[in-house]
Amino acid sequence: MVVLVSIHRSDTSELKIMGRKRVEIKKIGDKARRQTTFTKRRDGLFKKMADLCKMCEVEGAIITFTEVGNIFAFGNPSVDHVIQQYVDKTSDSNGAQIDDNNEKREEEEEEEKEKEKEARGELGDKHVEILARLEAVKNTGEMVDEALPMVESFLLQERVNGFTESS
């Protein structure tokens, strides 16, 4: 964080220190403010990279992707040159290691996809099982609804028969 400080002397020879307030780093809710902040900070970041490249005689690149997919890039001498240099250097010095890492990452991604498929399959199986149980309960409820009038009729008949026999 950079803090700018200015010192002012008042008539009473007191020192007053003024500076920037610390900005909390969190997502900006308002889209217009977020876009403005992005543009200003992106430009500032690109300027810092240009200064670094000039002062230290280095080559560098910055690439940013917006939330809507726009790409902004800065490179000295060019983004393509810096990326190509990076690819050449990393593949020359440890290309086998990079290939191994890529293969390992691809295997891990494949395993993760398989686990997700299995989980979806298990959930699908459970879903089917739950639907079957629900259907069975529904059928049982319908059977009870059908049998209830017969039972009530039978009980009523029993009462009538019991009443007539006791008289």
Side-chain angles (χ1 to χ4, degrees):
M1 180 183 81
V2 175
V3 177
L4 298 178
V5 177
S6 62
I7 300 174
H8 301 280
R9 288 200 182 267
S10 66
D11 292 340
T12 58
S13 298
E14 294 178 10
L15 291 177
K16 291 184 180 178
I17 299 176
M18 301 182 68
R20 287 187 179 178
K21 291 183 181 177
R22 178 174 281 229
V23 175
E24 184 180 351
I25 304 297
K26 65 179 182 177
K27 183 176 179 180
I28 300 171
D30 180 33
K31 265 189 159 179
R33 281 189 57 225
R34 185 169 53 237
Q35 181 61 38
T36 301
T37 301
F38 171 76
T39 302
K40 288 179 179 179
R41 286 185 175 241
R42 180 196 65 216
D43 292 345
L45 185 61
F46 288 175
K47 184 177 182 327
K48 291 276 188 192
M49 177 56 79
D51 293 346
L52 180 66
C53 292
K54 188 180 228 179
M55 291 179 355
C56 301
E57 293 184 0
V58 296
E59 296 177 351
I62 298 173
I63 303 171
T64 60
F65 299 86
T66 65
E67 61 189 353
V68 294
N70 296 334
I71 302 171
F72 296 93
F74 170 84
N76 183 26
S78 72
V79 173
D80 292 334
H81 176 79
V82 173
I83 290 174
Q84 187 60 49
Q85 218 176 0
Y86 172 78
V87 169
D88 292 345
K89 296 272 186 195
T90 54
S91 64
D92 287 347
S93 62
N94 54 4
Q97 182 181 359
I98 289 173
D99 290 341
D100 290 344
N101 289 341
N102 287 340
E103 287 176 17
K104 186 182 280 187
R105 186 174 59 245
E106 287 172 3
E107 288 173 9
E108 289 171 355
E109 288 172 357
E110 196 63 36
E111 287 175 10
E112 188 66 30
K113 286 179 185 177
E114 286 298 318
K115 287 179 184 176
E116 287 176 8
K117 277 184 184 178
E118 289 174 13
R120 281 194 300 267
E122 289 174 11
L123 287 175
D125 293 344
K126 287 181 181 180
H127 178 72
V128 169
E129 183 181 333
I130 289 170
L131 285 176
R133 286 183 183 174
L134 184 61
E135 188 65 29
V137 168
K138 180 181 170 188
N139 291 340
T140 303
E142 288 173 357
M143 289 174 23
V144 168
D145 288 343
E146 289 174 9
L148 190 59
M150 290 189 289
V151 170
E152 287 174 342
S153 174
F154 175 77
L155 290 174
L156 183 60
Q157 188 67 32
E158 284 294 314
R159 281 188 196 157
V160 169
N161 288 344
F163 183 71
T164 55
E165 290 176 4
S166 62
S167 318

